[in-house]
Amino acid sequence: MLHHHHPENNTIFTPEQVLENRGRVAIFIDGSNLFYAALQLGIEIDYTKLLCRLTAGSRLLRSFFYTGVDRTNEKQQGFLLWMRRNGYRVISKDLVQLPDGSKKANLDVEIAVDMMALVGSYDTAVLVSGDGDLAYAVDAVSYRGVRVEVVSLRSMTSDSLINVADRYIDLEMIKEDIQKTPRHPNYTYRPLSGIAMMDDGED
């Protein structure tokens, strides 16, 4: 019986094999959360690569990109138009000026409503955000039979969100797959190691 320690190979699947059966996938991207994460990683996101990496060969229902918009910013308008034409459903909201002069738009409610509204149309939700305010929505859709994968930078991710997710993926682990390749081969970026970003992911 030389093969007695191998029979489990037929019955035990690797985590990758188990997670490959994701059914139909819906992607929900918190734009500002991803922007700050990319800034902290010192990379520029290639949104075509991002879509491919997050879909990972599964059937994509729809990919939503939630963002605050500054109507006067033509470059941003151009970017969002490109996004709409390249596989993303853009959900935008005007930025509001806060007392300290900064501008912000919070799209948690929009993300939560869309996740709930589409239950039944998708099997796996991929949430690109570290915002703990979304934990309640994630928990709610999971009880409706949805698997939820949370993708975000660990330092910007609330534990409450990781705790209710079925799978957590640190952006740090997949940054090579989703970044724009530098235009110059000899170019090396220096990560913003010493800089602590504002805690956008936590509030």
Side-chain angles (χ1 to χ4, degrees):
M1 288 290 285
L2 289 172
H3 61 275
H4 70 275
H5 56 285
H6 288 311
E8 71 271 16
N9 286 3
N10 307 325
T11 48
I12 306 281
F13 295 96
T14 64
E16 283 67 34
Q17 286 171 307
V18 173
L19 293 165
E20 255 163 29
N21 185 16
R22 299 156 84 215
R24 288 162 304 175
V25 171
I27 299 170
F28 303 88
I29 300 170
D30 177 341
S32 70
N33 206 278
L34 179 60
F35 173 78
Y36 283 114
L39 211 57
Q40 203 159 353
L41 284 170
I43 64 170
E44 218 185 318
I45 304 283
D46 180 323
Y47 285 93
T48 304
K49 283 187 188 173
L50 179 70
L51 197 56
C52 293
R53 179 64 180 78
L54 297 179
T55 305
S58 299
R59 286 186 308 163
L60 179 65
L61 167 71
R62 193 163 288 151
S63 181
F64 295 95
F65 184 79
Y66 300 85
T67 184
V69 290
D70 179 353
R71 302 270 169 216
T72 61
N73 185 337
E74 284 183 24
K75 200 177 168 198
Q76 188 190 38
Q77 297 302 318
F79 165 70
L80 295 180
L81 182 62
W82 183 92
M83 291 287 279
R84 288 190 173 97
R85 291 177 176 174
N86 287 274
Y88 291 90
R89 176 72 60 93
V90 176
I91 314 290
S92 61
K93 194 170 173 178
D94 286 333
L95 293 169
V96 287
Q97 187 138 5
L98 300 175
D100 67 358
S102 65
K103 290 183 170 182
K104 197 166 182 189
N106 188 329
L107 285 109
D108 290 346
V109 173
E110 287 78 358
I111 295 173
V113 168
D114 288 346
M115 286 182 86
M116 281 307 283
L118 287 164
V119 167
S121 301
Y122 66 93
D123 304 298
T124 297
V126 180
L127 174 62
V128 181
S129 179
D131 196 330
D133 291 344
L134 290 165
Y136 191 80
V138 166
D139 207 30
V141 297
S142 71
Y143 276 103
R144 302 284 300 276
V146 170
R147 281 184 69 257
V148 183
E149 299 176 3
V150 167
V151 182
S152 65
L153 196 57
R154 186 63 190 91
S155 58
M156 288 174 56
T157 307
S158 158
D159 288 344
S160 59
L161 194 56
I162 294 177
N163 294 344
V164 291
D166 294 289
R167 187 186 191 191
Y168 169 70
I169 298 166
D170 189 344
L171 276 172
E172 177 91 49
M173 298 291 106
I174 63 167
K175 67 179 184 182
E176 273 76 29
D177 302 341
I178 62 170
Q179 71 180 30
K180 279 187 184 169
T181 41
R183 286 184 185 84
H184 312 292
N186 57 355
Y187 168 78
T188 54
Y189 71 84
R190 286 167 181 65
L192 308 166
S193 51
I195 302 171
M197 291 303 302
M198 59 276 282
D199 280 338
D200 258 56
E202 309 282 345
D203 53 22

